[in-house]
Amino acid sequence: MSKTPSETPSFRDLNIAEPLLKALDEIGYETPSPIQAQAVPPLLQGKDLLGHAPTGTGKTAAFALPLLSRLDMKNKSVQIMTLTPTRELAIQVAEAFQRYASHIKGFHVLPIYGGQEYSGQIRQLRRGVQVVVGTPGRVMDHMRKGTLKLDGLKALVLDEADEMLRMGFIDEVSWILEQTPADRQMALFSATMPKEVERIARRHLNKPQEISIKAKTA
């Protein structure tokens, strides 16, 4: 049976963790956008995802909510990492994680990007963060220095992969992916699918669920 529009699933129907539902109520999110309704179930099940989606479709919540639902708060190591092409996006995505996780006690997210001092980033990484959101160059620097350890990484998100390619980050992204645990879950989002992005998807995603969202949502 096909769903009628009135039967759009609620966030609760999507099995998102209770503390996150509480935060969504406070933010005023009522119904999932199309990309959220499609991306949350496979990501909650631990599947890889290839998302064809422009900016403004609500994709941050589409990956943040299911991945946060699967966090192990007893574990102090970095469990989720999102790579973004720009520092602005890194800050924005980190703030979104923080907002959604406002009712998860002891939760820490850290944006790491260039042009910001290393010392503060290193101090916070030592203290323990569950989520890192960063630009490829700076993430790679921290990994090389040994200040960002990803042996406990459970999920990796490439956000706006085509932009990272356009900005010349593809080598850094490939290097980072090579260093992450083989069994980690991965989601890749891109508005367009240039050859290099397809190559990364084929190489690093494991039987991904593919979803495609054309237009922006209000």
Side-chain angles (χ1 to χ4, degrees):
M1 244 170 74
S2 64
K3 283 205 160 189
T4 55
S6 65
E7 290 176 51
T8 307
S10 68
F11 283 109
R12 195 170 291 279
D13 295 335
L14 294 176
N15 295 322
I16 286 159
E18 202 55 49
L20 302 171
L21 291 171
K22 209 166 151 187
L24 291 175
D25 277 348
E26 286 167 11
I27 298 166
Y29 282 10
E30 284 167 13
T31 43
S33 72
I35 191 169
Q36 290 156 9
Q38 288 184 44
V40 169
L43 288 175
L44 260 181
Q45 288 160 15
K47 295 190 169 118
D48 282 9
L49 186 81
L50 181 57
H52 206 131
T55 311
T57 46
K59 66 176 160 23
T60 306
F63 62 77
L65 295 169
L67 298 180
L68 285 170
S69 292
R70 305 181 65 213
L71 263 192
D72 172 9
M73 286 307 293
K74 293 195 267 308
N75 181 344
K76 283 275 185 279
S77 63
V78 176
Q79 296 173 55
I80 302 170
M81 181 163 76
T82 303
L83 293 178
T84 64
T86 64
R87 148 175 147 182
E88 292 71 33
L89 189 60
I91 293 167
Q92 204 181 317
V93 170
E95 283 171 353
F97 268 107
Q98 188 67 59
R99 256 203 329 272
Y100 303 143
S102 60
H103 291 286
I104 301 178
K105 273 193 176 47
F107 173 80
H108 296 289
V109 54
L110 178 66
I112 53 180
Y113 45 84
Q116 191 192 32
E117 273 196 29
Y118 275 99
S119 56
Q121 294 176 353
I122 291 170
R123 209 167 40 242
Q124 283 181 272
L125 286 167
R126 281 209 187 108
R127 255 208 322 253
V129 300
Q130 289 88 9
V131 180
V132 162
V133 184
T135 49
R138 181 57 70 102
V139 164
M140 186 164 113
D141 289 349
H142 275 292
M143 289 169 71
R144 287 214 161 119
K145 281 185 159 74
T147 44
L148 173 58
K149 295 184 179 61
L150 297 176
D151 25 3
L153 190 73
K154 291 181 178 170
L156 177 66
V157 180
L158 297 191
D159 196 8
E160 307 205 348
D162 47 354
E163 278 300 296
M164 289 197 245
L165 170 66
R166 204 179 54 77
M167 292 171 71
F169 282 135
I170 216 74
D171 292 345
E172 285 94 333
V173 170
S174 300
W175 184 87
I176 291 166
L177 293 180
E178 299 292 342
Q179 319 300 315
T180 58
D183 60 353
R184 49 97 187 101
Q185 181 181 9
M186 187 169 152
L188 185 155
F189 292 93
S190 200
T192 58
M193 287 289 164
K195 288 251 183 321
E196 280 89 338
V197 171
E198 273 186 16
R199 196 176 304 139
I200 280 193
R202 268 204 306 276
R203 180 149 183 208
H204 296 282
L205 292 168
N206 176 24
K207 303 196 189 80
Q209 183 106 13
E210 292 196 35
I211 60 173
S212 186
I213 301 291
K214 296 290 181 283
K216 297 193 172 201
T217 44

